[in-house]
Amino acid sequence: MSMASSSLSLLLALIILCFSPIQSSNTIGKGYRLISIEESPDGGFIGYLQVKQKNKIYGPDITTLRLYVKHETDHRLRVHITDAKEQRWEVPYNLLPREQPPPIGKVIGKSRKSPITVQEFSGSELIFSYTTDPFNFAVKRRSNGETLFNTTGELVFKDQYLEISTSLPKEASIYGLGENSQANGIKLVPNEPYTLYTEDVSAINLNTDLYGSHPVYMDLRNVGGKAYAHAVLLLNSNGMDVFYRGTSLTYKVIGGVFDFYFFAGPSPLNVVDQYTELIGRPAAMPYWSLGFHQCRWGYHNLSVVEDVVDNYKKAKIPLDVIWNDDDHMDGHKDFTLNPVAYPRAKLLAFLDRIHKMGMKYIVINDPGIGVNASYGVYQRAMAQDLFIKYEGKPFLAQVWPGPVYFPDFLNPKTVAWWGDEIRRFHDLVPIDGLWIDMNEVSNFCSGLCTIPQGKQCPSGEGPGWICCLDCKNITKTRWDDPPYKINATGVVAPVGFKTIATSATHYNGVREYDAHSIYGFSETIATHKALLAVKGKRPFILSRSTFVGSGQYAAHWTGDNQGTWQSLQVSISTMLNFGIFGVPMVGSDICGFYPQPTEELCNRWIEVGAFYPFSRDHANYYSPRQELYQWDTVAESARNALGMRYKILPFLYTLNYEAHMTGAPIARPLFFSFPDYTECYGLSRQFLLGSSLMISPVLEKGKTEVRALFPPGSWYHMFDMTQAVVSKNGKRVTLPAPLNFVNVHLYQNTILPMQRGGLISKEARTTPFSLVIAFPAGASEGYATGKLYLDEDELPEMKLGNGQSTYVDFYASVGNGSVKMWSQVQEGKYALSKGWVIEKVSVLGLKGSSGQASDIQINGSPMTKKIEVSSKEHNYVIGLEDEGENKSVMVEVQGLEMLVGENFKMSWKMDMN
């Protein structure tokens, strides 16, 4: 919730400084020379670099640097460059655990061991090479010799300005470097601004630094018809501009160190696996979190919330989680209840009712703690001295409660206090998760502020985001006014604008200047620890601000978007980027945060949002109501799209498990599954769930058809599996898409586990399973696979081996006139205890026209139970190159009772004529 960001652009225009937002890339100095190099005890090597010619542009040079290089794994290379004499700020190792380089040495100049004379260090997948004068380095792929990163120009390393560049081939497709709203799609566009610095800037601002900082990019290249992907992470929390020119990429960073990690891939999935192996695997999510969520800023009292829940049920639209923005709070203060609008006794009765139904309740929490002597949360924090300081006193800011102080989550005592406050609130209200907002950190004021004397602040009249404190600018230190100005908020705003003053200090003297972009990350870790301790269940946290590693603890929504077609379109790119960032549980405010969407737009948005990994409708205080039942047509679209979501919840939950194990995104760009198909490299209007379920939505006003790209193969429509698209070489196809209809297609060679669905995930989860088996259309031989993970979903850990989880691999084949399917179950006891059965199998793409199945056998014995077998011929959209394709059919077998928790084998003979 932040209307402050909606007016931010106008406010910023008043403070634009007298220089260009995109600063020049003129050469600064002559770089460094390598003066010595040696092996390090841990298997890497250490070198020392000396500046060649000093200059004072952006400050004095650091004269001697230490280079540390190590192949940390077969597929990960680290290149770390820092001051050789003084320890510099780095992302804290306790927040993001990783290997630490050797301590800064004291002997500089001559090698302490036998000098290394080779200029190339080879690992299993990557090769590091360098030149000595001037010092430059390159990273190559060992298998094909392709150069992945090659520093060009002069290395610059000053206290508050670091610069390094790499050349790139013009055919490289680059993705990542967020968080921002990319109007041109997921693929980065040369000469657009890419600034990384966490800001409370509305997501409607395009190509601007937003709520999170993720200094990582994926590079996808097609070399001789074969795709190769790799990624580069610059692990640095300081503000930075990244200039992508098409054939080069330049980092300009205002502090910290160069700490590069190179991930060899070579597939996009390999890259994300390797990346999350370093930064932390994505969080395990409870099953209910994959259901639909409803929220609004402006549910003025509990009876409104009760009506919302009842109206969803009346409209027969699925709903799992009801949310409160700060309407439940007493005076916008964290961990409080409004005794009039949300009386505790009535709220507890409501929560008891919805909890028995299987629904959940989540509330918002902001980091700013109201300065109020009678407020217990404030008292307890003050008593322990837990707030961020400015010149020895708590830094004063303003957010929704009025004057606030910000907790310092780098202080271990703050983490313990935060956990205690969450425990106290949970005792008051049994919440099921927490929504942590405004944690970039957002401040309605700028500079050094005091509480005005003789007037109320805020007054209670007018917008709550207008600064009412008495403030003056802080420009007296180089931390508040650094020599290089990053393109903050898209207009080169001061780095302390509308946030904490960057000369303020955290625990142990850490400057806000360095730690600014990890504030939300540190709060997320503290919140995760607290919820785990309080509930003993798998935590659910939604955070607006994110950093490298946030996905290990939290989900993310894309912030304050608009009810516009452009915001709908951009939401897909942002969602796909966060999958690459290791934050797969992500989605945008469905129908837009503000202003109110049109009825048509909301129809189309739920048809997309029903397939976001995190699916939530959220609206602004000042917008008219936009719950999905408010329009009859939107309710119909919601029943269709969310109805499908609730049927594929087992599939989504299995994807959640895969993400937790390997980092694999839940929602993916098409190039993840079709990396050799270059047509999909820039595709941002369609996406995949997992490797094989493709969503092709309508994203433009007034359209009743959609032109979708289909990579080579057979695709079957999930709402009518007799409809299919077949292409040998891939093509674009125009599909009908009336208002209440979304195109969702399943790819060949896939087995998709489904259930019957329902209005709450708890109920949907108890229904029988079905399997959809997709073969290449009309093929004489084919093979398909699928998987299913099931567990007691609120256990803290998501894993096998605890007696409360089951994993199933499904297989199917067709050939020689026979259709076969079978399963291999790991730890079936849990699934057996739930009594889950497979009641139906639907087999798509079988060759022939009669569809006659005979001699049906299960586990080697003829089928004796009465079952129903049916078949329908497929209708194809076929390209010119496919004319003359053999006909094929869909065969369904219903009335089965195969146990999910036991291995099974099923087969039948098929007339293939």
Side-chain angles (χ1 to χ4, degrees):
M1 173 191 71
S2 176
M3 277 301 293
S5 60
S6 69
S7 57
L8 185 58
S9 295
L10 293 174
L11 292 170
L12 289 174
L14 300 176
I15 55 94
I16 296 176
L17 305 180
C18 299
F19 39 75
S20 165
I22 306 299
Q23 300 184 21
S24 64
S25 300
N26 294 334
T27 299
I28 301 172
K30 296 186 178 297
Y32 287 76
R33 67 170 62 90
L34 182 68
I35 56 174
S36 70
I37 193 166
E38 64 191 31
E39 294 180 3
S40 62
D42 63 356
F45 74 81
I46 293 172
Y48 291 97
L49 311 175
Q50 190 172 73
V51 69
K52 294 185 66 176
Q53 183 180 44
K54 296 180 182 179
N55 69 81
K56 293 186 178 180
I57 302 173
Y58 301 134
D61 298 282
I62 294 178
T63 57
T64 309
L65 305 178
R66 192 194 70 174
L67 167 71
Y68 171 70
V69 180
K70 185 181 179 183
H71 292 279
E72 291 189 336
T73 70
D74 286 347
H75 46 254
R76 184 173 79 231
L77 169 70
R78 185 180 190 182
V79 179
H80 183 279
I81 302 173
T82 187
D83 189 335
K85 299 178 181 178
E86 301 289 339
Q87 185 70 40
R88 289 181 60 80
W89 165 258
E90 298 186 42
V91 175
Y93 284 81
N94 64 321
L95 291 186
L96 190 66
R98 57 202 190 278
E99 290 186 36
Q100 295 200 36
I104 297 296
K106 295 183 179 179
V107 179
I108 300 171
K110 293 185 177 180
S111 176
R112 289 164 283 177
K113 299 180 181 179
S114 300
I116 295 174
T117 57
V118 299
Q119 292 186 314
E120 189 174 275
F121 294 88
S122 182
S124 298
E125 302 289 341
L126 298 173
I127 299 171
F128 176 88
S129 61
Y130 63 91
T131 58
T132 58
D133 190 2
F135 171 75
N136 278 296
F137 72 88
V139 178
K140 296 181 180 180
R141 187 182 299 282
R142 185 171 183 174
S143 62
N144 63 3
E146 183 88 0
T147 299
L148 309 185
F149 195 90
N150 184 20
T151 62
T152 55
E154 283 68 37
L155 172 69
V156 181
F157 203 118
K158 300 165 186 284
D159 191 23
Q160 289 182 268
Y161 183 78
L162 288 66
E163 180 181 325
I164 195 169
S165 298
T166 178
S167 59
L168 291 169
K170 62 182 180 180
E171 64 272 13
S173 295
I174 308 296
Y175 311 90
L177 297 177
E179 177 181 8
N180 59 28
S181 296
Q182 296 171 200
N184 294 305
I186 186 174
K187 186 176 172 180
L188 297 191
V189 176
N191 303 316
E192 291 282 3
Y194 299 101
T195 298
L196 282 70
Y197 190 70
T198 61
E199 300 270 14
D200 178 8
V201 179
S202 172
I204 68 173
N205 292 278
L206 303 177
N207 299 325
T208 298
D209 48 319
L210 298 179
Y211 312 105
S213 177
H214 295 272
V216 62
Y217 70 84
M218 180 185 291
D219 181 331
L220 178 62
R221 306 176 190 178
N222 193 286
V223 181
K226 181 171 176 55
Y228 293 88
H230 69 275
V232 179
L233 166 67
L234 172 55
L235 187 56
N236 184 304
S237 64
N238 290 83
M240 68 179 78
D241 289 331
V242 184
F243 294 87
Y244 171 51
R245 304 296 189 194
T247 57
S248 68
L249 189 145
T250 300
Y251 298 89
K252 297 185 177 186
V253 194
I254 60 172
V257 302
F258 285 130
D259 194 3
F260 283 105
Y261 291 85
F262 300 91
F263 306 92
S267 75
L269 273 177
N270 294 150
V271 166
V272 180
D273 184 5
Q274 294 154 14
Y275 181 57
T276 56
E277 180 184 32
L278 172 71
I279 69 167
R281 299 299 193 191
M285 294 290 164
Y287 200 89
W288 54 262
S289 70
L290 293 167
F292 183 68
H293 304 243
Q294 178 61 51
C295 184
R296 176 180 170 81
W297 178 28
Y299 287 150
H300 300 295
N301 56 53
L302 178 59
S303 56
V304 176
V305 176
E306 292 175 314
D307 286 345
V308 170
V309 171
D310 291 342
N311 284 328
Y312 266 94
K313 188 173 183 179
K314 289 176 185 175
K316 293 183 169 51
I317 300 172
L319 179 65
D320 258 78
V321 190
I322 188 71
W323 295 56
N324 263 129
D325 207 309
D326 72 352
D327 304 289
H328 70 285
M329 295 181 182
D330 183 10
H332 307 284
K333 297 190 298 292
D334 283 348
F335 307 120
T336 64
L337 269 185
N338 184 320
V340 176
Y342 286 81
R344 182 170 182 256
K346 290 185 177 180
L347 178 59
L348 291 179
F350 167 70
L351 294 183
D352 183 62
R353 176 169 73 91
I354 68 167
H355 282 153
K356 286 178 179 176
M357 294 164 55
M359 288 185 62
K360 306 296 180 181
Y361 178 61
I362 294 174
V363 298
I364 199 170
N365 210 66
D366 294 339
I369 301 299
V371 178
N372 186 322
S374 64
Y375 175 32
V377 177
Y378 168 80
Q379 293 171 344
R380 290 184 287 273
M382 284 295 289
Q384 297 186 64
D385 193 23
L386 302 180
F387 294 118
I388 292 171
K389 301 286 184 57
Y390 182 82
E391 295 184 344
K393 297 179 181 179
F395 176 79
L396 183 69
Q398 180 190 331
V399 199
W400 299 113
V404 299
Y405 295 152
F406 293 116
D408 176 10
F409 290 103
L410 299 185
N411 185 340
K413 290 183 178 179
T414 305
V415 175
W417 161 81
W418 190 250
D420 183 59
E421 297 301 339
I422 290 175
R423 178 193 60 77
R424 289 169 183 265
F425 185 67
H426 188 269
D427 290 345
L428 187 71
V429 182
I431 55 170
D432 298 291
L434 273 175
W435 170 19
I436 52 177
D437 191 11
M438 309 289 284
N439 50 353
E440 292 75 28
V441 130
S442 178
N443 180 2
F444 297 162
C445 303
S446 299
L448 181 62
C449 302
T450 58
I451 299 175
Q453 299 298 314
K455 68 174 183 178
Q456 185 177 345
C457 175
S459 66
E461 298 179 0
W465 57 85
I466 301 300
C467 179
C468 57
L469 300 177
D470 290 337
C471 304
K472 61 181 181 180
N473 289 336
I474 305 174
T475 58
K476 62 184 179 182
T477 77
R478 61 192 180 100
W479 311 110
D480 299 296
D481 187 23
Y484 176 80
K485 318 299 182 188
I486 61 170
N487 190 26
T489 65
V491 293
V492 200
V495 288
F497 180 73
K498 296 285 185 175
T499 186
I500 299 170
T502 44
S503 54
T505 54
H506 295 250
Y507 181 68
N508 278 345
V510 170
R511 292 187 188 89
E512 169 68 10
Y513 181 87
D514 295 313
H516 172 82
S517 288
I518 62 169
Y519 188 92
F521 180 43
S522 63
E523 183 197 18
T524 300
I525 295 173
T527 305
H528 187 274
K529 182 178 181 180
L531 284 177
L532 193 57
V534 168
K535 294 174 63 64
K537 297 179 180 180
R538 195 174 298 174
F540 179 83
I541 301 164
L542 184 71
S543 180
R544 190 168 74 175
S545 186
T546 59
F547 186 71
V548 176
S550 285
Q552 188 177 358
Y553 306 97
H556 174 64
W557 95 106
T558 63
D560 296 348
N561 60 359
Q562 276 189 316
T564 64
W565 293 95
Q566 185 178 56
S567 280
L568 170 59
Q569 295 159 14
V570 167
S571 74
I572 295 177
S573 298
T574 308
M575 171 185 68
L576 297 178
N577 264 328
F578 270 87
I580 294 172
F581 297 153
V583 190
M585 189 65 166
V586 59
S588 295
D589 286 346
I590 292 171
C591 297
F593 183 60
Y594 66 93
Q596 184 186 32
T598 64
E599 182 176 351
E600 181 191 4
L601 174 59
C602 204
N603 270 280
R604 293 311 190 184
W605 209 317
I606 187 56
E607 291 168 0
V608 179
F611 301 100
Y612 292 154
F614 172 65
S615 183
R616 185 184 72 158
D617 182 315
H618 179 43
N620 176 267
Y621 184 96
Y622 297 95
S623 296
R625 298 281 290 273
Q626 64 181 48
E627 292 85 6
L628 300 179
Y629 54 77
Q630 296 289 347
W631 300 274
D632 289 343
T633 63
V634 176
E636 181 65 22
S637 293
R639 284 188 288 269
N640 290 340
L642 288 173
M644 179 58 71
R645 181 186 182 92
Y646 274 64
K647 289 176 182 178
I648 64 170
L649 282 177
F651 170 65
L652 290 174
Y653 193 65
T654 301
L655 292 178
N656 176 24
Y657 174 71
E658 288 184 12
H660 185 57
M661 293 291 107
T662 69
I666 297 173
R668 307 173 191 175
L670 269 67
F671 66 74
F672 266 66
S673 289
F674 304 94
D676 294 337
Y677 186 53
T678 58
E679 290 294 313
C680 64
Y681 283 13
L683 188 63
S684 303
R685 300 172 71 89
Q686 298 166 245
F687 60 94
L688 295 171
L689 292 177
S691 62
S692 56
L693 196 66
M694 184 170 71
I695 320 300
S696 305
V698 172
L699 301 175
E700 295 175 327
K701 181 179 179 180
K703 300 290 186 180
T704 56
E705 58 185 24
V706 62
R707 189 152 178 81
L709 179 67
F710 284 84
S714 301
W715 298 85
Y716 301 91
H717 204 297
M718 287 296 298
F719 288 90
D720 179 0
M721 288 183 243
T722 65
Q723 302 296 316
V725 175
V726 179
S727 172
K728 290 181 180 178
N729 300 310
K731 64 184 175 188
R732 291 191 178 272
V733 177
T734 299
L735 302 170
L739 187 62
N740 303 126
F741 186 86
V742 59
N743 281 280
V744 181
H745 287 83
L746 182 67
Y747 191 57
Q748 65 184 39
N749 308 325
T750 302
I751 300 177
L752 179 69
M754 301 174 65
Q755 287 175 286
R756 291 182 183 176
L759 298 182
I760 297 176
S761 66
K762 180 181 178 180
E763 296 175 356
R765 206 176 183 203
T766 64
T767 61
F769 280 82
S770 60
L771 299 179
V772 179
I773 302 171
F775 290 122
S780 299
E781 296 183 348
Y783 192 71
T785 61
K787 56 196 73 170
L788 175 65
Y789 176 81
L790 303 160
D791 72 358
E792 201 60 50
D793 71 297
E794 292 196 333
L795 289 174
E797 294 190 71
M798 187 182 221
K799 64 179 184 179
L800 293 172
N802 57 13
Q804 297 187 73
S805 54
T806 295
Y807 187 86
V808 186
D809 282 301
F810 296 109
Y811 303 92
S813 66
V814 60
N816 298 319
S818 178
V819 177
K820 299 177 181 178
M821 59 204 73
W822 64 99
S823 69
Q824 292 182 354
V825 179
Q826 298 180 52
E827 303 181 30
K829 181 179 178 182
Y830 173 73
L832 291 172
S833 73
K834 296 295 183 180
W836 280 312
V837 298
I838 299 168
E839 65 173 355
K840 181 174 76 169
V841 295
S842 302
V843 185
L844 314 181
L846 293 173
K847 184 178 180 181
S849 58
S850 65
Q852 296 299 312
S854 61
D855 191 19
I856 299 175
Q857 296 195 4
I858 295 181
N859 296 325
S861 300
M863 190 71 191
T864 56
K865 181 179 179 297
K866 185 177 180 180
I867 58 173
E868 180 181 340
V869 182
S870 61
S871 65
K872 294 181 180 179
E873 189 172 326
H874 287 298
N875 296 313
Y876 291 114
V877 178
I878 300 176
L880 294 176
E881 73 275 20
D882 297 311
E883 290 180 359
E885 188 76 48
N886 290 325
K887 291 183 178 181
S888 64
V889 294
M890 172 182 74
V891 173
E892 290 190 330
V893 180
Q894 301 186 66
L896 302 170
E897 293 182 350
M898 298 185 295
L899 291 169
V900 172
E902 287 184 353
N903 292 343
F904 73 83
K905 294 181 180 179
M906 182 177 179
S907 64
W908 67 75
K909 290 186 173 16
M910 188 77 190
D911 178 4
M912 296 291 186
N913 294 321

